[in-house]
Amino acid sequence: MADTLLEVKNLKTYFYTDEGVVPSVDDVSFSIGYGETLGIVGESGCGKSVTSLSIMDLVPSPPGKIVDGEILLKGRDLRKLSEAEMRKIRGNEVAMVFQEPMTSLNPVFTIGSQIIEALMLHKHLSKKEARDKAIEMLKLVKIPMPEKRVKEYPHQLSGGMRQRVMIAMALCCDPQLLICDEPTTALDVTIQAQVLDLIGELKKKLNTSIMMITHNLGVISEIADNAMVMYAGKVIEYGSVRQLFKNPLHPYTNGLMNAIPRIESDKEELYMIKGTVPSLRNRPKGCLFHPRCEYAKEICRACMPIFVERDGHKVRCWKYTDRW
Amino acid sequence: MKRLLSIFTKTHDFVDDTLNNNVEYTSYYADSLKRLKKNKAVMISFIVIVILCLMAILAPLISPYDPNQTVLEDDLLSVSWQHWFGTDEYGRDILSRIIYGTRVSLSVGIVSVFISTFIGIVIGSIAGYYGGAVDSFLSRMIEIFSAFPELIFAIGLMFVLGPGIINLFIAIGLIRWTETARLIRGQVMQIKEREFVKGCVASGGTDFWIITKHILPNCLSTIIIIITLGIPGAIMSEASLSFIGLGVQAPQASWGSMINAAQSYIRFNTVYSVIPGIAIIITVLAFNIFGDGLRDALDPRLKN
Amino acid sequence: MLRYTAKRLLQTVIVLIGITLVTFILLNIVPGDPVNLMLGKISDPETIARIRHEMGLDRPWHQQYIDFLVGVIKGDLGTSYFLKESVVDIINRSFIITLKLAGFSFVFAMALGLVCGIVSAVHRGKALDSGLMTLALLGISAPAFWVAIILQIVFGLKLDLLPISGIDSGLCYILPAIAIGSRYAASIARITRTSMLDVIRQDYIRTARAKGLSERLVIYKHALKNAMIPIVTMAGLQLSYLLTGSILVETVFSIPGIGKLIVDSMLTRDLPLIQGTVMYVATLFVLINLIVDLSYAFLDPKIRYEKGD
């Protein structure tokens, strides 16, 4: 596995609240190769954002805590690093773009100074060099008049522009892994497409590995190589985008696929998965999806299914086992 | 559409809204009370407040001596079984004077806050409800009065009015209304934009009716918070005024004036100056904690 | 920014005129005769008439007010009745002392308050946090004059470390500065904590951490600058604590500042002096509020640009 950049093994991140323990990320494993894009899909609250924050060691603590698992970046376990060593990883080797461009930039500093800060920290550039590099980065993410924009404050930019700034900031230190946590969700549809195109383009240009978190399967199909579907803190399906879209195995993935509106479809009603995501505080026994699953049987209600694998396409469902 | 129709059924509209509001309130206040009861510090401070009130009411029964009885040969006695906290420069029992001082502090605290809250509500709701020129005039007035540092204004008033507890009510009541007016003004401006108020306007309710029956009940939690959090400030003002000799009339006992008298004797009797200060701290602290807790329970948004 | 400043200045002028009016009405008109107030029980009609005439109180009140207003604009607040000296001169002399004292208290309170507030916020929910906040609550609830006396007893009488009265040396300022600043410090600590907690959970703090910045930079650069906006507001609004404190504490330490001047002028019933001091202090306050208001603009770029046009 020499070409593996990031490997997450059995990650468990729990939140310890007054009302009880919430297993936000429960035994999650995946890997990302160099230059590869992994898409993580799921409804809100399924643990996909917490997974990304766990990699960055930015889980709000308390109440959150990584309880178990390994996070290997180029073979090095990030969980064993000291806080100071971890800081050298953040923003440098692994960078992150967040969901809310409106609130993710510090309102009291110019966008230039916010990019420069990272450059001076990780690349040890002088202020002048960092400034030039910042302008170059803003040019790269296609912000018009970058020389003028570096001196502006976040509130002077639109949401789309701010997200471009966030991307520029994330990429300025040439990270090997870029984590995008729903980077387009908060944006207008047309802007969404632009930002997504930009990410795709940059990926080709810079050969950065990307972990793309989204609840939008369309985004995954456009940009990702592999995809992982999460449900209530667990991975339920994992495979290449081709496998997943051609032949979705898990009933939940299937439901998600059917829920995408298609112009060619002549069905009037949009497909909807019945019921709601279970509360993580008291998850159902057995398969987590069984209360909403049309195929659910006795065994689904009783035991949590294990992974079944076919050509690297993994699914956590009893349907594909001998016991069905 | 429903709203539109209800305009034609005048009386029903009023009844309807009042009823709805009441229902909402009951569960809201029950919830708040539940949250309040959970908070230990708040419950302790509430017990302290109850004890203080009892002390004030029962002062003649529980104080061991007449607070104003001078025994010149027993001056500045230190702590003993006869005089738990010693005696002052006239030989008066300090414990008894502390107990009687509770009356001054609590009555000034409560009465003056009611005065200031009343003024604040009247001015704030008029400014918020009518807006426009009335609002600019009143807002400017609020600004002018809040420009005076409270104590300076109170000193000026007490100087003009002369010492005495009634004058303390007035002076402290007159200085603390600006903040109330400002808060109420803001709330009234928000509430008057709501549907049910517009409904009342459309159905021809008088302004007075709308303000007192529909808008102010919605400000109730703010008003309760203003009152509880205003009391400790007023108690502090009273103590300060009494300390600089502009408070109660001698020989009436007030914690502030006791500290004033005691400072001349710090070399001979330290307990004399320490005790009234502790009395002030306990009282102010209890009201502060209780008020903070009440605010958090009633309206977490008002935090800070 | 310019328009906002101009608007704010105009408002200030209106408020200042209002203050002269309120001060004038309060001290000259409300209870009838100010001379009676000054002289107390002495009621020799001839003397009263003579003093009334000397002070120009026998003229119609609007004329008196206009004279007073003109005087204020010219920087003339009349002559002290008992000290026979220009009120402005007396005030200026005491003001310098109070300013020095307030300066010390401000630095003491700001430093203590900010540090305690930040430490509390960073260690939220831990014993250190509860300890500091309990202390802050005590600080807010303790009257400054009592703290002053306790400091005198402990550091002056029992430990014999610091002087407890007068202004003969710099050391004399230490205890009064602490007494005056204690309540202010407590209040700053509480605001700082709330404000920091509010800022720390913002998205941009997570961004700063994701950049790999050290916790120190995250807290002291990214969080504190945002948290400072509400802190400066409250610190400005509560500067009155320092003044209130100086009124109460200067007398305890026999410091001839403006606080003691106010109390003494009340005791001697020197009307021109009282009127002048009240005017002076209130004006000072309005100006401080103005400065605080304008200084947000430098902290919050949003205001700087939005109020620009």
Side-chain angles (χ1 to χ4, degrees):
Chain A
M1 295 280 274
D3 55 349
T4 306
L5 170 66
L6 176 79
E7 190 174 11
V8 173
K9 284 185 189 165
N10 310 98
L11 178 69
K12 286 184 186 169
T13 305
Y14 293 177
F15 283 80
Y16 295 86
T17 65
D18 292 341
E19 283 87 24
V21 182
V22 180
S24 280
V25 176
D26 193 8
D27 202 9
V28 166
S29 306
F30 59 90
S31 66
I32 302 176
Y34 285 98
E36 192 183 271
T37 299
L38 172 72
I40 302 183
V41 210
E43 287 166 281
S44 40
C46 71
K48 52 195 195 309
S49 291
V50 178
T51 307
S52 63
L53 290 176
S54 302
I55 295 169
M56 299 286 278
D57 193 23
L58 285 177
V59 178
S61 162
K65 191 170 184 278
I66 300 176
V67 211
D68 197 18
E70 284 172 64
I71 303 166
L72 303 166
L73 184 74
K74 292 186 279 180
R76 212 152 53 121
D77 191 350
L78 298 185
R79 283 195 63 209
K80 294 205 179 86
L81 298 186
S82 69
E83 177 54 31
E85 287 170 315
M86 195 57 214
R87 278 203 296 272
K88 286 195 187 118
I89 305 270
R90 275 186 220 130
N92 192 21
E93 291 181 52
V94 184
M96 194 157 172
V97 175
F98 295 98
Q99 181 175 357
E100 284 294 336
M102 303 311 277
T103 52
S104 290
L105 288 164
N106 196 324
V108 300
F109 295 108
T110 61
I111 57 169
S113 75
Q114 293 185 56
I115 300 176
I116 289 169
E117 191 176 40
L119 284 164
M120 288 172 68
L121 180 76
H122 294 300
K123 297 291 173 211
H124 309 290
L125 300 182
S126 72
K127 203 158 190 172
K128 172 89 186 44
E129 291 166 330
R131 219 182 92 89
D132 292 341
K133 173 87 180 169
I135 292 171
E136 190 188 307
M137 289 311 295
L138 290 179
K139 220 176 270 167
L140 187 71
V141 295
K142 298 183 180 156
I143 286 183
M145 294 183 293
E147 293 84 0
K148 183 168 163 270
R149 293 292 182 187
V150 279
K151 284 180 240 149
E152 293 191 337
Y153 288 92
H155 72 270
Q156 291 168 288
L157 302 179
S158 68
M161 284 295 154
R162 286 190 214 184
Q163 198 60 301
R164 283 165 195 266
V165 171
M166 283 297 292
I167 295 170
M169 202 157 88
L171 290 177
C172 69
C173 296
D174 309 311
Q176 280 142 324
L177 176 65
L178 177 69
I179 301 177
C180 299
D181 186 359
E182 308 228 21
T184 58
T185 308
L187 303 174
D188 290 341
V189 184
T190 45
I191 311 290
Q192 278 189 9
Q194 289 173 13
V195 170
L196 221 55
D197 285 348
L198 177 72
I199 294 176
E201 215 175 287
L202 291 174
K203 179 197 158 191
K204 269 186 216 130
K205 203 184 275 180
L206 306 171
N207 200 31
T208 313
S209 303
I210 296 178
M211 182 172 143
M212 171 68 76
I213 293 164
T214 179
H215 62 258
N216 185 341
L217 279 171
V219 172
I220 300 283
S221 70
E222 251 175 71
I223 211 167
D225 303 310
N226 293 324
M228 175 167 109
V229 183
M230 284 184 74
Y231 188 81
K234 289 248 180 216
V235 179
I236 56 166
E237 190 163 357
Y238 183 81
S240 72
V241 167
R242 214 183 134 71
Q243 289 169 328
L244 213 75
F245 275 79
K246 243 186 150 179
N247 184 23
L249 295 177
H250 200 283
Y252 177 66
T253 319
N254 230 321
L256 286 179
M257 298 283 176
N258 288 332
I260 303 174
R262 277 175 231 272
I263 293 174
E264 62 266 30
S265 156
D266 41 84
K267 271 186 281 178
E268 280 275 315
E269 293 263 320
L270 264 180
Y271 177 84
M272 262 173 47
I273 304 173
K274 280 184 297 245
T276 52
V277 188
S279 145
L280 284 170
R281 218 163 276 128
N282 38 61
R283 298 191 294 183
K285 248 189 94 179
C287 173
L288 299 173
F289 187 61
H290 85 254
R292 302 170 74 187
C293 184
E294 49 188 314
Y295 307 105
K297 282 190 182 176
E298 202 46 55
I299 187 162
C300 305
R301 284 182 266 275
C303 312
M304 167 81 72
I306 45 154
F307 265 126
V308 188
E309 188 176 341
R310 282 183 206 164
D311 321 320
H313 189 172
K314 292 188 211 168
V315 65
R316 199 189 275 277
C317 181
W318 287 116
K319 255 175 86 183
Y320 305 99
T321 61
D322 326 331
R323 297 175 65 179
W324 191 256
Chain B
M1 196 62 197
K2 198 187 156 209
R3 177 60 51 196
L4 215 78
L5 285 175
S6 68
I7 293 171
F8 297 103
T9 54
K10 242 187 208 176
T11 39
H12 277 108
D13 187 44
F14 286 119
V15 176
D16 214 41
D17 279 317
T18 333
L19 278 179
N20 283 346
N21 286 340
N22 283 344
V23 172
E24 210 175 283
Y25 280 164
T26 350
S27 65
Y28 164 70
Y29 284 112
D31 277 358
S32 302
L33 194 67
K34 222 183 280 168
R35 262 173 286 173
L36 204 60
K37 275 184 183 161
K38 253 190 183 170
N39 191 332
K40 251 187 222 150
V42 172
M43 289 327 284
I44 293 173
S45 62
F46 179 70
I47 294 169
V48 172
I49 292 172
V50 170
I51 293 174
L52 287 167
C53 290
L54 288 176
M55 264 168 74
I57 296 164
L58 304 175
L61 295 176
I62 54 175
S63 28
Y65 296 89
D66 174 349
N68 297 328
Q69 188 196 356
T70 58
V71 186
L72 288 177
E73 56 272 27
D74 284 349
D75 63 329
L76 299 172
L77 292 181
S78 72
V79 179
S80 68
W81 282 113
Q82 281 77 40
H83 300 281
W84 287 10
F85 295 147
T87 59
D88 69 3
E89 70 276 25
Y90 296 112
R92 297 176 294 198
D93 179 51
I94 291 176
L95 176 63
S96 305
R97 290 182 71 74
I98 292 279
I99 294 172
Y100 272 85
T102 320
R103 290 185 156 187
V104 176
S105 285
L106 291 188
S107 61
V108 171
I110 292 163
V111 176
S112 62
V113 166
F114 273 98
I115 294 175
S116 69
T117 309
F118 180 75
I119 301 173
I121 289 173
V122 170
I123 292 183
S125 51
I126 290 175
Y129 186 78
Y130 291 102
V134 178
D135 181 30
S136 336
F137 174 74
L138 291 176
S139 293
R140 216 50 68 223
M141 202 169 105
I142 294 172
E143 237 168 76
I144 291 168
F145 277 93
S146 52
F148 285 96
E150 277 177 16
L151 192 63
I152 298 269
F153 199 46
I155 287 174
L157 278 169
M158 284 310 285
F159 173 67
V160 169
L161 296 170
I165 196 154
I166 303 287
N167 292 342
L168 277 169
F169 294 161
I170 298 170
I172 297 173
L174 281 178
I175 56 169
R176 305 186 63 95
W177 58 271
T178 51
E179 195 52 32
T180 314
R182 211 171 273 166
L183 278 169
I184 295 293
R185 173 179 167 271
Q187 285 228 327
V188 170
M189 277 166 80
Q190 272 177 20
I191 295 167
K192 91 172 168 184
E193 293 306 320
R194 288 212 210 134
E195 288 294 308
F196 69 88
V197 176
K198 288 189 169 164
C200 293
V201 176
S203 54
T206 63
D207 293 346
F208 181 76
W209 170 266
I210 293 169
I211 292 176
T212 52
K213 295 285 170 196
H214 290 269
I215 297 184
L216 289 181
N218 277 289
C219 302
L220 195 61
S221 56
T222 311
I223 295 170
I224 294 172
I225 294 164
I226 289 171
I227 291 175
T228 27
L229 283 177
I231 291 173
I235 290 175
M236 199 70 115
S237 299
E238 183 278 321
S240 305
L241 287 171
S242 295
F243 175 75
I244 50 180
L246 288 169
V248 293
Q249 197 126 34
Q252 189 169 16
S254 149
W255 298 338
S257 55
M258 286 174 77
I259 297 177
N260 182 30
Q263 65 170 320
S264 316
Y265 307 102
I266 51 173
R267 279 166 210 278
F268 316 110
N269 189 346
T270 40
V271 180
Y272 183 14
S273 44
V274 172
I275 292 296
I278 289 175
I280 295 173
I281 291 181
I282 290 174
T283 314
V284 172
L285 197 62
F287 276 104
N288 268 334
I289 294 174
F290 185 70
D292 276 356
L294 201 63
R295 176 197 56 200
D296 295 350
L298 282 176
D299 191 354
R301 277 176 304 129
L302 273 179
K303 227 172 186 173
N304 208 21
Chain C
M1 188 62 208
L2 220 88
R3 251 184 69 181
Y4 174 66
T5 313
K7 200 178 136 201
R8 203 58 194 71
L9 280 174
L10 187 74
Q11 253 177 32
T12 308
V13 171
I14 297 173
V15 170
L16 285 177
I17 293 173
I19 286 174
T20 59
L21 195 63
V22 173
T23 313
F24 183 80
I25 292 175
L26 176 65
L27 293 172
N28 289 270
I29 293 171
V30 174
D33 200 313
V35 176
N36 271 340
L37 266 179
M38 277 174 54
L39 299 182
K41 294 270 152 58
I42 311 163
S43 51
D44 168 16
E46 257 169 62
T47 320
I48 289 175
R50 185 171 52 79
I51 296 172
R52 281 177 66 87
H53 186 71
E54 269 173 30
M55 292 176 69
L57 295 174
D58 47 357
R59 293 168 304 148
W61 75 267
H62 60 267
Q63 207 180 332
Q64 289 181 44
Y65 173 65
I66 290 167
D67 285 355
F68 172 63
L69 197 60
V70 171
V72 170
I73 293 164
K74 282 193 201 150
D76 175 16
L77 294 169
T79 311
S80 154
Y81 191 75
F82 291 102
L83 302 174
K84 305 286 180 214
E85 202 185 335
S86 152
V87 169
V88 174
D89 288 349
I90 301 172
I91 292 176
N92 282 340
R93 200 170 49 219
S94 352
F95 180 64
I96 292 173
I97 295 167
T98 298
L99 194 66
K100 221 160 142 190
L101 189 57
F104 285 134
S105 330
F106 182 78
V107 172
F108 159 75
M110 261 305 194
L112 188 69
L114 280 176
V115 169
C116 291
I118 294 168
V119 168
S120 250
V122 171
H123 299 262
R124 183 174 63 132
K126 305 218 176 91
L128 189 59
D129 175 27
S130 351
L132 285 174
M133 283 305 115
T134 310
L135 220 62
L137 208 54
L138 273 173
I140 283 185
S141 309
F145 52 89
W146 182 76
V147 174
I149 293 171
I150 298 301
L151 288 173
Q152 279 187 331
I153 293 174
V154 176
F155 293 96
L157 297 180
K158 302 274 185 235
L159 300 176
D160 202 16
L161 283 174
L162 291 162
I164 59 168
S165 74
I167 46 165
D168 302 330
S169 75
L171 287 179
C172 294
Y173 285 99
I174 296 177
L175 292 183
I178 295 173
I180 292 171
S182 60
R183 192 154 175 234
Y184 194 62
S187 174
I188 299 276
R190 277 161 57 105
I191 297 155
T192 305
R193 178 178 180 272
T194 321
S195 177
M196 282 298 281
L197 285 180
D198 195 44
V199 169
I200 283 174
R201 55 183 178 76
Q202 298 294 322
D203 288 346
Y204 52 76
I205 295 302
R206 192 179 55 186
T207 309
R209 289 204 175 110
K211 252 189 262 185
L213 297 183
S214 66
E215 202 54 26
R216 218 183 60 226
L217 267 177
V218 172
I219 298 289
Y220 290 95
K221 187 179 169 193
H222 283 261
L224 193 57
K225 192 164 178 196
N226 281 284
M228 276 318 272
I229 297 167
I231 297 173
V232 168
T233 314
M234 289 309 278
L237 288 175
Q238 297 192 339
L239 273 176
S240 63
Y241 280 14
L242 293 184
L243 185 88
T244 308
S246 77
I247 294 173
L248 299 168
V249 169
E250 280 175 359
T251 321
V252 176
F253 288 95
S254 318
I255 292 170
I258 216 136
K260 190 162 188 300
L261 185 67
I262 290 175
V263 177
D264 289 351
S265 65
M266 293 286 166
L267 295 179
T268 55
R269 314 196 139 253
D270 190 336
L271 193 72
L273 192 55
I274 296 169
Q275 188 169 272
T277 327
V278 171
M279 251 319 286
Y280 190 89
V281 170
T283 309
L284 198 72
F285 251 76
V286 176
L287 294 180
I288 290 173
N289 281 345
L290 178 73
I291 293 168
V292 170
D293 243 26
L294 294 179
S295 71
Y296 295 147
F298 291 96
L299 281 171
D300 190 349
K302 232 175 188 156
I303 297 179
R304 189 150 74 222
Y305 286 86
E306 270 162 19
K307 292 194 172 162
D309 6 62

